[in-house]
Amino acid sequence: MWLAALVRAVLRKSPAPPEEDEAIEAIAAFIETHRRFDEAFNLRERAHVRRWLFRPPSMGAVPWPVPPAAGVLDLAELLEIDGRELEWLADTRRYLNRARSPRLAHYHSTWLLKPGGGFRLIETPKPLIKLVQRRVLRRILDVIPVHERAEGFVRGRSPLSHASRHTGSAALLCLDLEDFFTSIPFGRVYRVFRAAGYPVPVARSLAGVCTTALPTVELARMPRPRLASEVPHHQRLRQSALRRHLPQGAPTSPALANLCALGLDRRLHAAARAAGLQYSRYADDLAFSGGGDFPRRARDFAVLAAAIAIDEGFCVNFRKTRVTRQSARQRVCGVVVNDHPNVPREDYDHLKAILTNCVRRGAVGENREGLADFRGHLRGRVGWVQAIAPAKGAKLARLFEAIDWDR
C-alpha cells in the first residue's frame, strides 16, 4: 500500500521527530517529491486528511536570556496588550500600507533637509506603538549583546568613546553609511528575533511591530531632488522607504540597527585587525586608524571596507569618505583626535561668544533660531564640552551659571 511504503521511507530518512522548522520543511519537501505520494493522487480514490496533528508551539534554542513567548498570544501577554492590538500594530499582512488615510498609520512622517544635500526620513511612532516598542526594547533587545566595536546607542558608550579609539594615529579613515536605518529591511529584523529563539509567528510579529513601510499616500510628500547628482540617492531612499524597514525615530531602531550590523562589525573588525588598524562604528559613522604605512594605503583599505559594507547590504556614501593625516585636523563625530580628544577651536569660540553675550545682554536676544528650550540647548552644549575637555568646559559652565534668564 502506498501509505505504508511512504511512512517507511520517511522513517528511514528521519528516525527521530523533527525539532526545528527547517527539518519539518525538509520532510514535507521529501514527501511531496516521493513517487509513492505522487502515485496516491493517480488512484481512483483520492487521499483524504482524516485528522490534522499540530505540534504545540515552543521556543527554539535561546542563546540569550530573553523572556519566553512560544506563541503570538504569549507575546501579547508579554507586551501587555490584547492579541488583536498586537495584530494591528504588527500589520504583518500590510493592510496599512494600502490605507488611503494617513490617520490610520502608526507613524508621523517628516522629511528633513541634510546639510550636505539630500533628505532624511524621520518616522515618529504614535503613542500606542511607541509604548509597545519601549517594552520590546527593555524586555528583549536590552539583553541581547552587540559587537564590542559598536559605540552608538549602547549604555556606557558614546561618541567620545568612539573618537577616543583613534587618538594619536598617523592616518584616519572615515566612511559613512547612507540612510542607515531605512536601508535595514524587515527580513534582517526578523532574523534577529529568530536568532533569539522565538518561533516564526512570534518573530514575524516582533519584526512587524519594529518596522514600517511608508504609506503610498505619503509618497507624494517626498521632496524632489534639487540637483541631478541627488537623483540616485533619491531613488534608493524612495525604494527603501516603500518596503518595510527600521524607522528612524522608533525607540527600538537603534538597538536593532546595531544587531543587524553585527556581521558588518565582525568583518570590518577582522579586516582592520589583520591590517594592524583600529576600528569602531557609531551608528552610520565608520572609523579606521593606524600608523606605519597606513597613510599610504588608506585609500586601498577604504575600497575593501566599502566592498564589505556593500556585501552586508549597506550602501556607502562615497562623497563623505575622507582620509586625514596627522598633519591636518582629524575629527571623529565632531571630536578632534590628533593628540587627545578635544573640541574644535571654532566650536568652542562660538559657544563662548554666545554665553558671553547672554551674560552681557540677556538670553532672549541671543536665541536667534527661536528654540523652545534655549536654556536646555545651551546646557547640553556646555555639558558636551565638559565631557571632552573638562578645563574648557569648566570655563563655559561658569559663564552659563552667570546668565540671567529673565532678561
Side-chain angles (χ1 to χ4, degrees), residues 27-53:
I27 292 177
F30 174 78
I31 293 174
E32 188 177 8
T33 58
H34 198 276
R35 65 181 182 85
R36 293 292 189 180
F37 185 75
D38 186 62
E39 291 173 0
F41 286 88
N42 294 325
L43 300 175
R44 290 184 178 179
E45 184 178 352
R46 299 289 298 274
H48 297 282
V49 177
R50 298 188 63 180
R51 182 162 59 97
W52 288 99
L53 299 176

PDB file of all heavy atoms in Angstrom, residues 27-53:
ATOM      1  N   ILE A  27      11.260  17.534   5.515  1.00  0.00           N
ATOM      2  CA  ILE A  27      10.468  16.304   5.442  1.00  0.00           C
ATOM      3  C   ILE A  27       9.257  16.514   4.541  1.00  0.00           C
ATOM      4  O   ILE A  27       8.893  15.634   3.742  1.00  0.00           O
ATOM      5  CB  ILE A  27      10.050  15.865   6.856  1.00  0.00           C
ATOM      6  CG1 ILE A  27      11.284  15.415   7.645  1.00  0.00           C
ATOM      7  CG2 ILE A  27       9.007  14.752   6.800  1.00  0.00           C
ATOM      8  CD1 ILE A  27      10.984  15.038   9.072  1.00  0.00           C
ATOM      9  N   ALA A  28       8.622  17.680   4.649  1.00  0.00           N
ATOM     10  CA  ALA A  28       7.468  17.960   3.793  1.00  0.00           C
ATOM     11  C   ALA A  28       7.862  17.953   2.317  1.00  0.00           C
ATOM     12  O   ALA A  28       7.142  17.425   1.461  1.00  0.00           O
ATOM     13  CB  ALA A  28       6.860  19.306   4.178  1.00  0.00           C
ATOM     14  N   ALA A  29       9.029  18.520   2.021  1.00  0.00           N
ATOM     15  CA  ALA A  29       9.502  18.512   0.634  1.00  0.00           C
ATOM     16  C   ALA A  29       9.825  17.100   0.163  1.00  0.00           C
ATOM     17  O   ALA A  29       9.565  16.732  -0.999  1.00  0.00           O
ATOM     18  CB  ALA A  29      10.738  19.406   0.512  1.00  0.00           C
ATOM     19  N   PHE A  30      10.380  16.283   1.071  1.00  0.00           N
ATOM     20  CA  PHE A  30      10.686  14.883   0.724  1.00  0.00           C
ATOM     21  C   PHE A  30       9.406  14.120   0.396  1.00  0.00           C
ATOM     22  O   PHE A  30       9.353  13.363  -0.588  1.00  0.00           O
ATOM     23  CB  PHE A  30      11.427  14.231   1.895  1.00  0.00           C
ATOM     24  CG  PHE A  30      11.662  12.764   1.725  1.00  0.00           C
ATOM     25  CD1 PHE A  30      12.683  12.299   0.904  1.00  0.00           C
ATOM     26  CD2 PHE A  30      10.859  11.826   2.367  1.00  0.00           C
ATOM     27  CE1 PHE A  30      12.901  10.936   0.740  1.00  0.00           C
ATOM     28  CE2 PHE A  30      11.059  10.468   2.210  1.00  0.00           C
ATOM     29  CZ  PHE A  30      12.086  10.020   1.389  1.00  0.00           C
ATOM     30  N   ILE A  31       8.370  14.307   1.210  1.00  0.00           N
ATOM     31  CA  ILE A  31       7.093  13.609   0.961  1.00  0.00           C
ATOM     32  C   ILE A  31       6.483  14.060  -0.363  1.00  0.00           C
ATOM     33  O   ILE A  31       5.985  13.254  -1.152  1.00  0.00           O
ATOM     34  CB  ILE A  31       6.125  13.864   2.128  1.00  0.00           C
ATOM     35  CG1 ILE A  31       6.649  13.190   3.415  1.00  0.00           C
ATOM     36  CG2 ILE A  31       4.715  13.366   1.806  1.00  0.00           C
ATOM     37  CD1 ILE A  31       5.835  13.513   4.646  1.00  0.00           C
ATOM     38  N   GLU A  32       6.521  15.358  -0.599  1.00  0.00           N
ATOM     39  CA  GLU A  32       5.890  15.906  -1.807  1.00  0.00           C
ATOM     40  C   GLU A  32       6.527  15.372  -3.081  1.00  0.00           C
ATOM     41  O   GLU A  32       5.850  15.192  -4.101  1.00  0.00           O
ATOM     42  CB  GLU A  32       5.972  17.429  -1.759  1.00  0.00           C
ATOM     43  CG  GLU A  32       5.194  18.116  -2.865  1.00  0.00           C
ATOM     44  CD  GLU A  32       5.240  19.622  -2.749  1.00  0.00           C
ATOM     45  OE1 GLU A  32       6.001  20.122  -1.885  1.00  0.00           O
ATOM     46  OE2 GLU A  32       4.524  20.299  -3.501  1.00  0.00           O
ATOM     47  N   THR A  33       7.823  15.106  -3.039  1.00  0.00           N
ATOM     48  CA  THR A  33       8.517  14.641  -4.247  1.00  0.00           C
ATOM     49  C   THR A  33       8.653  13.125  -4.316  1.00  0.00           C
ATOM     50  O   THR A  33       9.201  12.612  -5.294  1.00  0.00           O
ATOM     51  CB  THR A  33       9.917  15.282  -4.305  1.00  0.00           C
ATOM     52  OG1 THR A  33      10.651  14.945  -3.109  1.00  0.00           O
ATOM     53  CG2 THR A  33       9.810  16.797  -4.427  1.00  0.00           C
ATOM     54  N   HIS A  34       8.179  12.411  -3.295  1.00  0.00           N
ATOM     55  CA  HIS A  34       8.311  10.944  -3.293  1.00  0.00           C
ATOM     56  C   HIS A  34       7.329  10.331  -4.291  1.00  0.00           C
ATOM     57  O   HIS A  34       6.174  10.765  -4.415  1.00  0.00           O
ATOM     58  CB  HIS A  34       8.061  10.392  -1.886  1.00  0.00           C
ATOM     59  CG  HIS A  34       8.584   9.018  -1.689  1.00  0.00           C
ATOM     60  ND1 HIS A  34       7.882   7.892  -2.052  1.00  0.00           N
ATOM     61  CD2 HIS A  34       9.771   8.582  -1.175  1.00  0.00           C
ATOM     62  CE1 HIS A  34       8.595   6.814  -1.763  1.00  0.00           C
ATOM     63  NE2 HIS A  34       9.750   7.211  -1.228  1.00  0.00           N
ATOM     64  N   ARG A  35       7.768   9.284  -4.976  1.00  0.00           N
ATOM     65  CA  ARG A  35       6.920   8.686  -6.014  1.00  0.00           C
ATOM     66  C   ARG A  35       5.676   8.028  -5.427  1.00  0.00           C
ATOM     67  O   ARG A  35       4.625   7.999  -6.056  1.00  0.00           O
ATOM     68  CB  ARG A  35       7.731   7.676  -6.823  1.00  0.00           C
ATOM     69  CG  ARG A  35       8.219   6.454  -6.053  1.00  0.00           C
ATOM     70  CD  ARG A  35       9.017   5.542  -6.956  1.00  0.00           C
ATOM     71  NE  ARG A  35       9.459   4.350  -6.255  1.00  0.00           N
ATOM     72  CZ  ARG A  35       8.716   3.242  -6.116  1.00  0.00           C
ATOM     73  NH1 ARG A  35       7.495   3.199  -6.650  1.00  0.00           N
ATOM     74  NH2 ARG A  35       9.164   2.198  -5.443  1.00  0.00           N
ATOM     75  N   ARG A  36       5.758   7.491  -4.203  1.00  0.00           N
ATOM     76  CA  ARG A  36       4.587   6.868  -3.584  1.00  0.00           C
ATOM     77  C   ARG A  36       3.484   7.894  -3.306  1.00  0.00           C
ATOM     78  O   ARG A  36       2.302   7.610  -3.458  1.00  0.00           O
ATOM     79  CB  ARG A  36       4.986   6.171  -2.269  1.00  0.00           C
ATOM     80  CG  ARG A  36       5.885   4.971  -2.456  1.00  0.00           C
ATOM     81  CD  ARG A  36       5.148   3.841  -3.143  1.00  0.00           C
ATOM     82  NE  ARG A  36       5.917   2.614  -3.147  1.00  0.00           N
ATOM     83  CZ  ARG A  36       5.503   1.470  -3.681  1.00  0.00           C
ATOM     84  NH1 ARG A  36       4.307   1.432  -4.280  1.00  0.00           N
ATOM     85  NH2 ARG A  36       6.252   0.398  -3.646  1.00  0.00           N
ATOM     86  N   PHE A  37       3.906   9.078  -2.892  1.00  0.00           N
ATOM     87  CA  PHE A  37       2.944  10.144  -2.655  1.00  0.00           C
ATOM     88  C   PHE A  37       2.310  10.581  -3.972  1.00  0.00           C
ATOM     89  O   PHE A  37       1.116  10.865  -4.047  1.00  0.00           O
ATOM     90  CB  PHE A  37       3.657  11.323  -1.975  1.00  0.00           C
ATOM     91  CG  PHE A  37       2.746  12.444  -1.571  1.00  0.00           C
ATOM     92  CD1 PHE A  37       1.918  12.319  -0.468  1.00  0.00           C
ATOM     93  CD2 PHE A  37       2.712  13.633  -2.281  1.00  0.00           C
ATOM     94  CE1 PHE A  37       1.075  13.353  -0.085  1.00  0.00           C
ATOM     95  CE2 PHE A  37       1.877  14.666  -1.909  1.00  0.00           C
ATOM     96  CZ  PHE A  37       1.054  14.522  -0.803  1.00  0.00           C
ATOM     97  N   ASP A  38       3.105  10.630  -5.009  1.00  0.00           N
ATOM     98  CA  ASP A  38       2.582  11.007  -6.317  1.00  0.00           C
ATOM     99  C   ASP A  38       1.605   9.951  -6.842  1.00  0.00           C
ATOM    100  O   ASP A  38       0.591  10.283  -7.463  1.00  0.00           O
ATOM    101  CB  ASP A  38       3.736  11.205  -7.296  1.00  0.00           C
ATOM    102  CG  ASP A  38       3.261  11.732  -8.637  1.00  0.00           C
ATOM    103  OD1 ASP A  38       2.704  12.844  -8.661  1.00  0.00           O
ATOM    104  OD2 ASP A  38       3.428  11.029  -9.642  1.00  0.00           O
ATOM    105  N   GLU A  39       1.912   8.670  -6.575  1.00  0.00           N
ATOM    106  CA  GLU A  39       1.020   7.600  -7.015  1.00  0.00           C
ATOM    107  C   GLU A  39      -0.346   7.687  -6.340  1.00  0.00           C
ATOM    108  O   GLU A  39      -1.365   7.326  -6.931  1.00  0.00           O
ATOM    109  CB  GLU A  39       1.653   6.238  -6.720  1.00  0.00           C
ATOM    110  CG  GLU A  39       2.865   5.923  -7.586  1.00  0.00           C
ATOM    111  CD  GLU A  39       3.545   4.634  -7.134  1.00  0.00           C
ATOM    112  OE1 GLU A  39       3.054   4.023  -6.153  1.00  0.00           O
ATOM    113  OE2 GLU A  39       4.569   4.247  -7.744  1.00  0.00           O
ATOM    114  N   ALA A  40      -0.390   8.153  -5.111  1.00  0.00           N
ATOM    115  CA  ALA A  40      -1.659   8.219  -4.379  1.00  0.00           C
ATOM    116  C   ALA A  40      -2.653   9.134  -5.081  1.00  0.00           C
ATOM    117  O   ALA A  40      -3.869   8.909  -5.030  1.00  0.00           O
ATOM    118  CB  ALA A  40      -1.423   8.706  -2.957  1.00  0.00           C
ATOM    119  N   PHE A  41      -2.177  10.157  -5.758  1.00  0.00           N
ATOM    120  CA  PHE A  41      -3.065  11.093  -6.420  1.00  0.00           C
ATOM    121  C   PHE A  41      -3.454  10.632  -7.827  1.00  0.00           C
ATOM    122  O   PHE A  41      -4.241  11.268  -8.499  1.00  0.00           O
ATOM    123  CB  PHE A  41      -2.416  12.476  -6.479  1.00  0.00           C
ATOM    124  CG  PHE A  41      -2.407  13.167  -5.151  1.00  0.00           C
ATOM    125  CD1 PHE A  41      -1.355  12.966  -4.264  1.00  0.00           C
ATOM    126  CD2 PHE A  41      -3.457  13.968  -4.758  1.00  0.00           C
ATOM    127  CE1 PHE A  41      -1.350  13.579  -3.030  1.00  0.00           C
ATOM    128  CE2 PHE A  41      -3.455  14.589  -3.524  1.00  0.00           C
ATOM    129  CZ  PHE A  41      -2.402  14.395  -2.647  1.00  0.00           C
ATOM    130  N   ASN A  42      -2.887   9.504  -8.249  1.00  0.00           N
ATOM    131  CA  ASN A  42      -3.283   8.926  -9.526  1.00  0.00           C
ATOM    132  C   ASN A  42      -4.286   7.785  -9.352  1.00  0.00           C
ATOM    133  O   ASN A  42      -4.752   7.208 -10.329  1.00  0.00           O
ATOM    134  CB  ASN A  42      -2.039   8.410 -10.281  1.00  0.00           C
ATOM    135  CG  ASN A  42      -1.125   9.555 -10.684  1.00  0.00           C
ATOM    136  OD1 ASN A  42      -1.593  10.633 -11.003  1.00  0.00           O
ATOM    137  ND2 ASN A  42       0.179   9.311 -10.670  1.00  0.00           N
ATOM    138  N   LEU A  43      -4.605   7.434  -8.083  1.00  0.00           N
ATOM    139  CA  LEU A  43      -5.597   6.396  -7.806  1.00  0.00           C
ATOM    140  C   LEU A  43      -7.001   6.948  -8.007  1.00  0.00           C
ATOM    141  O   LEU A  43      -7.234   8.151  -8.000  1.00  0.00           O
ATOM    142  CB  LEU A  43      -5.430   5.888  -6.368  1.00  0.00           C
ATOM    143  CG  LEU A  43      -4.050   5.262  -6.031  1.00  0.00           C
ATOM    144  CD1 LEU A  43      -4.004   4.913  -4.551  1.00  0.00           C
ATOM    145  CD2 LEU A  43      -3.797   4.011  -6.875  1.00  0.00           C
ATOM    146  N   ARG A  44      -7.939   6.044  -8.171  1.00  0.00           N
ATOM    147  CA  ARG A  44      -9.325   6.469  -8.357  1.00  0.00           C
ATOM    148  C   ARG A  44      -9.865   7.144  -7.104  1.00  0.00           C
ATOM    149  O   ARG A  44     -10.579   8.133  -7.157  1.00  0.00           O
ATOM    150  CB  ARG A  44     -10.194   5.262  -8.700  1.00  0.00           C
ATOM    151  CG  ARG A  44      -9.920   4.689 -10.092  1.00  0.00           C
ATOM    152  CD  ARG A  44     -10.893   3.561 -10.393  1.00  0.00           C
ATOM    153  NE  ARG A  44     -10.666   3.040 -11.744  1.00  0.00           N
ATOM    154  CZ  ARG A  44     -11.356   2.042 -12.272  1.00  0.00           C
ATOM    155  NH1 ARG A  44     -12.329   1.463 -11.561  1.00  0.00           N
ATOM    156  NH2 ARG A  44     -11.106   1.609 -13.496  1.00  0.00           N
ATOM    157  N   GLU A  45      -9.517   6.572  -5.971  1.00  0.00           N
ATOM    158  CA  GLU A  45     -10.000   7.139  -4.706  1.00  0.00           C
ATOM    159  C   GLU A  45      -8.923   8.068  -4.157  1.00  0.00           C
ATOM    160  O   GLU A  45      -7.829   7.636  -3.816  1.00  0.00           O
ATOM    161  CB  GLU A  45     -10.294   6.031  -3.701  1.00  0.00           C
ATOM    162  CG  GLU A  45     -10.880   6.565  -2.397  1.00  0.00           C
ATOM    163  CD  GLU A  45     -11.207   5.441  -1.420  1.00  0.00           C
ATOM    164  OE1 GLU A  45     -11.124   4.278  -1.817  1.00  0.00           O
ATOM    165  OE2 GLU A  45     -11.545   5.765  -0.284  1.00  0.00           O
ATOM    166  N   ARG A  46      -9.241   9.359  -4.130  1.00  0.00           N
ATOM    167  CA  ARG A  46      -8.268  10.357  -3.682  1.00  0.00           C
ATOM    168  C   ARG A  46      -8.018  10.233  -2.191  1.00  0.00           C
ATOM    169  O   ARG A  46      -8.888   9.831  -1.415  1.00  0.00           O
ATOM    170  CB  ARG A  46      -8.779  11.768  -3.988  1.00  0.00           C
ATOM    171  CG  ARG A  46      -8.996  12.047  -5.457  1.00  0.00           C
ATOM    172  CD  ARG A  46      -7.665  12.149  -6.185  1.00  0.00           C
ATOM    173  NE  ARG A  46      -6.859  13.247  -5.684  1.00  0.00           N
ATOM    174  CZ  ARG A  46      -6.973  14.495  -6.137  1.00  0.00           C
ATOM    175  NH1 ARG A  46      -7.838  14.777  -7.099  1.00  0.00           N
ATOM    176  NH2 ARG A  46      -6.212  15.445  -5.645  1.00  0.00           N
ATOM    177  N   ALA A  47      -6.809  10.588  -1.765  1.00  0.00           N
ATOM    178  CA  ALA A  47      -6.468  10.555  -0.345  1.00  0.00           C
ATOM    179  C   ALA A  47      -7.175  11.693   0.380  1.00  0.00           C
ATOM    180  O   ALA A  47      -7.317  12.799  -0.156  1.00  0.00           O
ATOM    181  CB  ALA A  47      -4.962  10.681  -0.173  1.00  0.00           C
ATOM    182  N   HIS A  48      -7.626  11.428   1.587  1.00  0.00           N
ATOM    183  CA  HIS A  48      -8.319  12.423   2.398  1.00  0.00           C
ATOM    184  C   HIS A  48      -7.615  12.551   3.747  1.00  0.00           C
ATOM    185  O   HIS A  48      -7.152  11.550   4.314  1.00  0.00           O
ATOM    186  CB  HIS A  48      -9.782  12.037   2.630  1.00  0.00           C
ATOM    187  CG  HIS A  48     -10.582  11.984   1.364  1.00  0.00           C
ATOM    188  ND1 HIS A  48     -11.057  13.098   0.726  1.00  0.00           N
ATOM    189  CD2 HIS A  48     -10.977  10.921   0.610  1.00  0.00           C
ATOM    190  CE1 HIS A  48     -11.718  12.747  -0.365  1.00  0.00           C
ATOM    191  NE2 HIS A  48     -11.682  11.418  -0.455  1.00  0.00           N
ATOM    192  N   VAL A  49      -7.526  13.784   4.229  1.00  0.00           N
ATOM    193  CA  VAL A  49      -6.959  14.014   5.557  1.00  0.00           C
ATOM    194  C   VAL A  49      -8.043  13.759   6.589  1.00  0.00           C
ATOM    195  O   VAL A  49      -9.076  14.419   6.599  1.00  0.00           O
ATOM    196  CB  VAL A  49      -6.436  15.471   5.683  1.00  0.00           C
ATOM    197  CG1 VAL A  49      -5.913  15.731   7.091  1.00  0.00           C
ATOM    198  CG2 VAL A  49      -5.347  15.735   4.648  1.00  0.00           C
ATOM    199  N   ARG A  50      -7.814  12.798   7.475  1.00  0.00           N
ATOM    200  CA  ARG A  50      -8.816  12.449   8.487  1.00  0.00           C
ATOM    201  C   ARG A  50      -8.658  13.314   9.738  1.00  0.00           C
ATOM    202  O   ARG A  50      -9.644  13.652  10.377  1.00  0.00           O
ATOM    203  CB  ARG A  50      -8.693  10.973   8.860  1.00  0.00           C
ATOM    204  CG  ARG A  50      -8.937  10.036   7.685  1.00  0.00           C
ATOM    205  CD  ARG A  50      -9.003   8.609   8.125  1.00  0.00           C
ATOM    206  NE  ARG A  50     -10.117   8.381   9.027  1.00  0.00           N
ATOM    207  CZ  ARG A  50     -10.404   7.191   9.566  1.00  0.00           C
ATOM    208  NH1 ARG A  50      -9.657   6.143   9.280  1.00  0.00           N
ATOM    209  NH2 ARG A  50     -11.415   7.059  10.388  1.00  0.00           N
ATOM    210  N   ARG A  51      -7.437  13.655  10.077  1.00  0.00           N
ATOM    211  CA  ARG A  51      -7.232  14.463  11.287  1.00  0.00           C
ATOM    212  C   ARG A  51      -5.890  15.175  11.183  1.00  0.00           C
ATOM    213  O   ARG A  51      -4.884  14.571  10.826  1.00  0.00           O
ATOM    214  CB  ARG A  51      -7.260  13.570  12.533  1.00  0.00           C
ATOM    215  CG  ARG A  51      -7.107  14.331  13.851  1.00  0.00           C
ATOM    216  CD  ARG A  51      -7.586  13.466  15.024  1.00  0.00           C
ATOM    217  NE  ARG A  51      -6.856  12.240  15.121  1.00  0.00           N
ATOM    218  CZ  ARG A  51      -5.807  12.047  15.942  1.00  0.00           C
ATOM    219  NH1 ARG A  51      -5.417  13.036  16.719  1.00  0.00           N
ATOM    220  NH2 ARG A  51      -5.174  10.898  15.984  1.00  0.00           N
ATOM    221  N   TRP A  52      -5.906  16.477  11.463  1.00  0.00           N
ATOM    222  CA  TRP A  52      -4.674  17.254  11.464  1.00  0.00           C
ATOM    223  C   TRP A  52      -4.031  17.168  12.848  1.00  0.00           C
ATOM    224  O   TRP A  52      -4.699  17.332  13.867  1.00  0.00           O
ATOM    225  CB  TRP A  52      -4.951  18.715  11.131  1.00  0.00           C
ATOM    226  CG  TRP A  52      -5.324  18.963   9.693  1.00  0.00           C
ATOM    227  CD1 TRP A  52      -6.565  19.128   9.188  1.00  0.00           C
ATOM    228  CD2 TRP A  52      -4.421  19.045   8.593  1.00  0.00           C
ATOM    229  NE1 TRP A  52      -6.524  19.327   7.833  1.00  0.00           N
ATOM    230  CE2 TRP A  52      -5.204  19.274   7.432  1.00  0.00           C
ATOM    231  CE3 TRP A  52      -3.042  18.935   8.444  1.00  0.00           C
ATOM    232  CZ2 TRP A  52      -4.661  19.412   6.162  1.00  0.00           C
ATOM    233  CZ3 TRP A  52      -2.501  19.076   7.183  1.00  0.00           C
ATOM    234  CH2 TRP A  52      -3.298  19.308   6.072  1.00  0.00           C
ATOM    235  N   LEU A  53      -2.745  16.913  12.887  1.00  0.00           N
ATOM    236  CA  LEU A  53      -1.996  16.865  14.142  1.00  0.00           C
ATOM    237  C   LEU A  53      -1.052  18.072  14.188  1.00  0.00           C
ATOM    238  O   LEU A  53      -0.185  18.219  13.318  1.00  0.00           O
ATOM    239  CB  LEU A  53      -1.192  15.575  14.246  1.00  0.00           C
ATOM    240  CG  LEU A  53      -2.011  14.277  14.241  1.00  0.00           C
ATOM    241  CD1 LEU A  53      -1.081  13.071  14.262  1.00  0.00           C
ATOM    242  CD2 LEU A  53      -2.960  14.238  15.425  1.00  0.00           C
TER     243      LEU A  53
END
